[in-house]
Every structure is written in structure tokens, then in C-alpha cells.
Amino acid sequence: MKIGVIGTGNIAQYLLETINNSRRLGGEVVSIFGRNQEVGLRLEKQYNTTFYTDFEAFLNSPIDIVVEAATIEVAVQHMHDVLHCKKDLILSSIGAFKDTAFLNEMKELARSTGQHIYLPSGAIGGLDLLQSANSVGGLKEVRITTRKSYASLGMEVKYEEECLFDGVALDAIEQFPKNVNVALLLSIAGLGADKTKVRVIADPKIQRNTHTIQASGDFGEMNLTIENEPMPNNPKTSYLAALSILSTLQNKGNSITIGS
């Protein structure tokens, strides 16, 4: 499998190190796309890949699948082209689908081009349960409470806990586009962004990014807490988010699929 990666940041570099250097996947990152030429050229040399600043040239390089590891804006800008070029897409910036109309448009485009958009589970679990519970409309309530350090949220450190947001996912993704992808992913799996309840808490005592998911419905109740280690060189990124992209790549094309 020949992989193309959009982005040259923390997750992109982790994928390059794990896939190209450590050889932990039956594939290779052969192309990367980005705007930072200094970083891109360094990665090209360090990981024996090819760096592109022209997106059309990147798509026309010998890649089988594209991993987006950049930003919401970059994902929205290039998703059409990836699917039209008949490449499967692993989407890291789930916030690109905060616009329901855009989500539906990309679903239809993927269907018509015969491609697949993969949404890695990222920093959370329980997605299969929510999809199953909602398969016949039996999911009644979904709530996620996210606790992060001030540093992880990119904020000045304070000494007291502070609730930064209490509302629904649709509004949360507007205020915290880099921190609540998990809430939008829950929304897509469950009740939608306008009905999924979200709380974001800055906690100076917390060491790990923590997500507590509560759901109820005809199936019963779910209470799930995940404590994520941050990436060693970037406290704003969950290590599990990077691992979930690797897992998606590893499982692509498997003859047996676990879960929905």
C-alpha cells in the first residue's frame, strides 16, 4: 500500500516514523503534501519520501490512499479532489463535517466515485455501540465531558478548574476546532451535532486528556471514560488519535471487519 499524507505536523511525522522507519505497517508513505517547504524538505530527506507543494502533483503521484493530517480548512479545501481522483481518504480533521450539507455532499461523492471516507475513532471509544443503539432510532441522549489541561487547550495556565463550554457539539466545534473533534465524531455516530451534548473543562490538575461519554436509550445505558496520553512532543494531540489512523491503515482491506 502506497500512502500519501496531507500535512507535515505532529501526526504526519509520527506516521512517517512508524511506517517508513520502523516498518510497522505493510506499506509506505511515498508522498507528503504541505506548505512549509523547510519542514517538508527535511521530512523528504529523513524518511525517504517525496514532498509536494502542488496538490495536483501530489494526487497524481503513485499513491493508493490519502491520509489527511492537517486542519479542517485544508480538509474541506481538498476533499473533493481526493475523491474525484478516486483515492480513499482517512480524515483526521473530523470538524470538516460540522456542516451537515457538506457531510451529505461528500457521502454522495464518495458513493458515486466508488471511494471510501474513513473516520478513525481518534481519542474515544464506544462508537459502534452508539451506531447500533441508534440503528432503529432507540438512542435518546449522548453527552461527552472533555477535561484537558490548560496547556493542551493552548491557554494560559490557571490554578482553578474552569468550565469553558456547556452546550451542543455544533457550537463546540466552532469554539474549539482543534480540541473537540471527538464530539463531532460522536455526533456522526449517534444523534447529530445539534443534539449531542458537550462540556469542555480546563483542569490544571489533570495529566491526561480525559473524555467521559454517557449515553442512554432503549438499549440501556453506557458510561465510558478514556484517559489519553498526549503525544510526547505535542500536548495538544492525543497519542491515541495517531494510533487510530495507523489502525485504520492496518485494517483496510481485511477480510474480517470487527464492529460496524
Side-chain angles (χ1 to χ4, degrees):
M1 177 170 47
K2 295 181 178 180
I3 305 161
V5 176
I6 300 174
T8 56
N10 198 50
I11 289 180
Q13 292 183 47
Y14 173 80
L15 294 175
L16 284 162
E17 178 64 35
T18 305
I19 297 171
N20 285 20
N21 275 16
S22 301
R23 300 292 176 182
R24 296 183 186 177
L25 184 75
E28 183 182 6
V29 178
V30 298
S31 305
I32 51 175
F33 168 80
R35 289 174 275 192
N36 190 323
Q37 290 202 26
E38 181 181 351
V39 174
L41 292 173
R42 174 177 60 80
L43 296 178
E44 179 180 68
K45 182 177 180 180
Q46 184 176 355
Y47 296 107
N48 191 30
T49 188
T50 303
F51 173 65
Y52 296 88
T53 55
D54 180 87
F55 196 72
E56 184 176 355
F58 166 77
L59 280 182
N60 289 326
S61 67
I63 55 178
D64 305 311
I65 187 169
V66 173
V67 177
E68 177 276 317
T71 64
I72 291 173
E73 293 74 22
V74 170
V76 171
Q77 180 182 358
H78 294 300
M79 206 179 306
H80 288 86
D81 293 335
V82 172
L83 296 174
H84 275 301
C85 201
K86 294 191 176 296
K87 311 288 185 186
D88 286 342
L89 173 67
I90 297 178
L91 184 68
S92 171
S93 301
I94 312 295
F97 286 152
K98 62 186 177 182
D99 182 343
T100 304
F102 181 71
L103 169 61
N104 292 333
E105 180 187 350
M106 291 302 99
K107 281 183 181 179
E108 177 57 28
L109 180 57
R111 186 201 62 76
S112 65
T113 57
Q115 303 313 122
H116 197 101
I117 301 173
Y118 296 91
L119 305 181
S121 58
I124 58 171
L127 298 175
D128 281 354
L129 186 151
L130 293 182
Q131 286 180 307
S132 299
N134 201 40
S135 59
V136 290
L139 188 61
K140 304 302 183 186
E141 183 177 19
V142 179
R143 177 188 297 274
I144 179 169
T145 300
T146 293
R147 287 180 174 270
K148 293 189 173 187
S149 67
Y150 284 94
S152 178
L153 290 162
M155 299 175 63
E156 181 182 347
V157 176
K158 299 180 182 179
Y159 297 101
E160 293 183 355
E161 177 182 303
E162 182 180 355
C163 181
L164 303 176
F165 180 86
D166 191 349
V168 296
L170 187 63
D171 298 325
I173 196 68
E174 292 289 346
Q175 293 192 36
F176 302 94
K178 296 181 179 179
N179 289 283
V180 294
N181 269 346
V182 290
L184 192 60
L185 191 56
L186 278 180
S187 303
I188 294 171
L191 296 175
D194 58 336
K195 295 180 181 177
T196 302
K197 299 175 182 178
V198 178
R199 294 183 77 208
V200 180
I201 297 173
D203 187 341
K205 298 178 182 178
I206 207 161
Q207 300 298 316
R208 298 169 174 165
N209 295 339
T210 301
H211 305 286
T212 300
I213 302 166
Q214 299 166 296
S216 61
D218 295 345
F219 73 97
E221 295 184 357
M222 177 184 77
N223 289 278
L224 176 65
T225 298
I226 307 104
E227 296 182 2
N228 292 315
E229 294 287 355
M231 294 286 283
N233 55 344
N234 187 348
K236 297 181 183 180
T237 304
S238 164
Y239 184 35
L240 191 57
L243 291 175
S244 71
I245 295 174
L246 267 185
S247 176
T248 302
L249 286 166
Q250 287 176 329
N251 293 325
K252 186 179 183 294
N254 279 0
S255 55
I256 296 177
T257 301
I258 299 174
S260 57

